[in-house]
Amino acid sequence: MVNFIWLFLIVISVVVGAFNGKIDAVAGAAFTGAQSGVTISFGLISIMVFWLGMMRIAEDAGLLKKMAQLLGPIVRFLFPDVPKNHPALGYIMSNLSANLFGLGNAATPMGIKAMQELQKLSPDPEVATPAMCTLLALNTSSITLIPTTLIAIRMNYGSANPAEIVGTTLAATFIATTAAIAADRWYRSRQKPPIIKGPSQPLASPAKPGAAAASGGGGGVA
């Protein structure tokens, strides 16, 4: 669907540019945008390699394991319908840890794996479970301690103080995450619990006349 949207936007741009006699401007903007994309990508590589290396060092030092232990109770609270030792919980904690450091590119594969594992718990693969909705909300509004990607982009464009957005980013993502969790809890409280059918039992045959008296029930004669 996204591919069709982008194709539609490109076609509309070319048609409007040709209609207004500015097809040269459209072509120039396309080449300029491609050049800027390559330049930004090279700038992001260095900062991404640095922070991914730092995360690998933290993993080898056991810091990520400690962080996972700290996030464990929170994750179990946010995902009460996921079994305690399910593989999805590990991917969810890795996704949240990467988002804390603003490593969206590193968090995306973990989020995809978590979604795949959560989908296995769904009785209907075509319907998103509450846990999948919770993960999507958290991944979109995750608290970010260090906005690594944004800092790298600001460095690329010559910002005098690329890291000055750390405080405002932390405040904004904290508010967004709080709102996402509140909305998620509210929708979960309104969700009807699934109807669990018990094992079927054969219907009792109608009692024969005098059966109660024979069994001594209902004030039978001794």
Side-chain angles (χ1 to χ4, degrees):
M1 185 62 184
V2 176
N3 293 334
F4 288 109
I5 293 174
W6 280 110
L7 178 61
F8 173 77
L9 292 176
I10 293 172
V11 171
I12 288 296
S13 301
V14 173
V15 171
V16 172
F19 182 78
N20 293 327
K22 296 182 178 180
I23 192 66
D24 293 338
V26 174
F31 286 113
T32 302
Q35 183 179 3
S36 299
V38 173
T39 304
I40 293 175
S41 297
F42 277 114
L44 290 175
I45 288 174
S46 58
I47 194 71
M48 290 297 297
V49 168
F50 172 77
W51 280 109
L52 288 174
M54 293 294 290
M55 287 193 67
R56 182 58 183 270
I57 294 174
E59 181 181 2
D60 293 341
L63 294 179
L64 290 186
K65 186 176 181 180
K66 293 292 184 182
M67 184 178 293
Q69 292 175 353
L70 292 175
L71 292 176
I74 300 175
V75 171
R76 285 193 292 271
F77 168 76
L78 294 174
F79 299 88
D81 45 350
V82 179
K84 185 175 181 181
N85 296 321
H86 197 272
L89 293 178
Y91 290 120
I92 291 172
M93 286 186 282
S94 299
N95 175 266
L96 295 180
S97 300
N99 276 324
L100 281 176
F101 296 101
L103 298 173
N105 292 339
T108 299
M110 297 296 102
I112 293 175
K113 290 294 295 182
M115 280 293 187
Q116 291 174 345
E117 292 295 333
L118 290 175
Q119 190 177 34
K120 296 178 182 178
L121 298 174
S122 175
D124 186 357
E126 300 297 326
V127 178
T129 62
M132 296 171 72
C133 296
T134 301
L135 176 60
L136 181 61
L138 290 177
N139 187 67
T140 304
S141 63
S142 178
I143 295 178
T144 304
L145 299 178
I146 305 174
T148 307
T149 304
L150 290 179
I151 291 175
I153 293 175
R154 288 169 61 86
M155 290 174 61
N156 248 351
Y157 283 95
S159 173
N161 188 4
E164 66 180 352
I165 61 172
V166 171
T168 53
T169 301
L170 178 59
T173 54
F174 176 79
I175 294 172
T177 302
T178 303
I181 294 175
D184 178 72
R185 295 294 100 179
W186 185 76
Y187 278 109
R188 278 180 177 264
S189 66
R190 291 173 57 88
Q191 184 187 22
K192 295 181 180 180
I195 300 176
I196 302 176
K197 297 181 179 181
S200 58
Q201 296 180 356
L203 297 175
S205 57
K208 296 180 180 179
S215 60
V221 180

